[in-house]
Amino acid sequence: MGGVQPKVELALRRTLFFSIFVLLYLLLGAFGFYILPRRQRSLACEENTERLDAHRSEMLNVLWSGTMAQSEHDWAHMANQKLDIYENALLSLCKPPPIPPRSFLNSFLHSFSLVTTVGLPDVETLTWAGKAFAMLYASFGIPLTMLYLGQCSKMISGLLPGDRALFTALVTVFLSAVLYDIVGGTKDDTPFLDAVLHVFLTVSTVGDCSGQPTLTLSLVCIFAISLCSIAFVVIERHIENCVQGMELAFGRQFGSLSRWLNASSIDDDRIIEEDEDQTEDD
């Protein structure tokens, strides 16, 4: 390629090579997650807590008012009836959330979130076989993805040296948030800052526990994760340059403290040797 450095051209060629392997591996993981059975989620009662508390308070008031006015047999019968009513209300209000529909696209995004260390969503729906497959799949998928991201980072750093990578990363996060907000990854009333936060957490591989990335965001992350890692390296160098003076001052103080401690240790050794010599003379 004319005008491109040989190391950048090599990184580009290796990036394309490993990207094919990563894509095939993602398809393999998507097929695996697609055919694996899933289990029901646990009960979720947070949205109906107030109604359950109202049922409970009403039941306790009725039981308390009838404690002294009824016989033990009648009170036990009434208590069982109230407990049955409360149990039925509890079961009706605490229904397990529905499992997302099984689709190959969701399974593909599942695999992508796992191998990029963004975070595995819906862990609760995995059976023991799904959890074992996820661990085995990630054990090989994460190193393979790291190989790809490493070559992609070399290519980007060769094309965008210095602060250009940092500026490009900021623009990429902003435009990705706009695209994520427009395409439909968020609700209509979701603030734009939340979309920016979701994109940042995804491309920085911190992960957003609220859900898995969309297909559009996943395609952007193929290059944005490497770009974000380079930006972090640039920021790291700037921080290191800013604190270099304080580091040198700390080094001088630490050296002075070390010399003082060594001098004190030598003086103590001399005192001990003199005491031993005096004891031998006596």
Side-chain angles (χ1 to χ4, degrees), residues 155-233:
M155 179 190 66
I156 295 176
S157 60
L159 297 174
L160 300 171
D163 293 339
R164 295 181 182 179
L166 178 59
F167 176 76
T168 306
L170 294 175
V171 174
T172 302
V173 171
F174 179 78
L175 295 179
S176 300
V178 173
L179 183 63
Y180 175 73
D181 194 25
I182 294 176
V183 170
T186 61
K187 299 179 181 179
D188 295 336
D189 56 347
T190 302
F192 179 70
L193 183 60
D194 291 349
V196 176
L197 177 62
H198 178 75
V199 172
F200 174 78
L201 293 177
T202 303
V203 299
S204 61
T205 68
V206 174
D208 189 355
C209 298
S210 60
Q212 64 184 10
T214 60
L215 178 61
T216 304
L217 185 57
S218 300
L219 295 176
V220 173
C221 286
I222 293 177
F223 297 99
I225 291 178
S226 298
L227 187 60
C228 190
S229 63
I230 297 174
F232 286 148
V233 172

Side-chain angles (χ1 to χ4, degrees), residues 10 16 75 81 100 144 147 177 192 251-252 256 279:
L10 176 62
L16 295 176
W75 184 88
Q81 289 180 342
L144 178 60
L147 278 173
F192 179 70
R252 289 193 295 268
S256 300
T279 303

Side-chain angles (χ1 to χ4, degrees), residues 91-281:
L91 293 176
S92 62
L93 295 177
C94 294
K95 295 181 180 179
I99 299 179
R102 185 188 297 270
S103 67
F104 191 80
L105 177 60
N106 288 335
S107 300
F108 181 84
L109 297 176
H110 219 71
S111 304
F112 174 83
S113 300
L114 186 60
V115 299
T116 55
T117 68
V118 171
L120 183 62
D122 294 334
V123 179
E124 193 176 0
T125 61
L126 295 178
T127 60
W128 67 268
K131 294 176 181 179
F133 175 77
M135 290 186 290
L136 181 63
Y137 180 76
S139 298
F140 294 94
I142 293 176
L144 178 60
T145 306
M146 291 175 63
L147 278 173
Y148 161 75
L149 293 177
Q151 297 303 318
C152 189
S153 299
K154 292 180 181 179
M155 179 190 66
I156 295 176
S157 60
L159 297 174
L160 300 171
D163 293 339
R164 295 181 182 179
L166 178 59
F167 176 76
T168 306
L170 294 175
V171 174
T172 302
V173 171
F174 179 78
L175 295 179
S176 300
V178 173
L179 183 63
Y180 175 73
D181 194 25
I182 294 176
V183 170
T186 61
K187 299 179 181 179
D188 295 336
D189 56 347
T190 302
F192 179 70
L193 183 60
D194 291 349
V196 176
L197 177 62
H198 178 75
V199 172
F200 174 78
L201 293 177
T202 303
V203 299
S204 61
T205 68
V206 174
D208 189 355
C209 298
S210 60
Q212 64 184 10
T214 60
L215 178 61
T216 304
L217 185 57
S218 300
L219 295 176
V220 173
C221 286
I222 293 177
F223 297 99
I225 291 178
S226 298
L227 187 60
C228 190
S229 63
I230 297 174
F232 286 148
V233 172
V234 174
I235 295 174
E236 176 191 355
R237 291 174 181 172
H238 283 296
I239 294 175
E240 186 177 6
N241 293 332
C242 291
V243 302
Q244 188 174 9
M246 291 184 288
E247 183 183 4
L248 293 175
F250 175 79
R252 289 193 295 268
Q253 296 297 328
F254 185 81
S256 300
L257 179 62
S258 298
R259 288 191 296 270
W260 179 78
L261 292 175
N262 291 331
S264 300
S265 177
I266 293 174
D267 293 339
D268 293 339
D269 292 339
R270 289 177 179 176
I271 294 174
I272 293 174
E273 291 177 357
E274 292 176 357
D275 292 339
E276 291 178 352
D277 293 339
Q278 185 176 2
T279 303
E280 291 177 357
D281 294 338

Side-chain angles (χ1 to χ4, degrees), residues 57-69:
S57 299
E58 181 183 359
M59 181 189 68
L60 291 176
N61 291 332
V62 172
L63 292 177
W64 176 254
S65 62
T67 301
M68 303 301 296

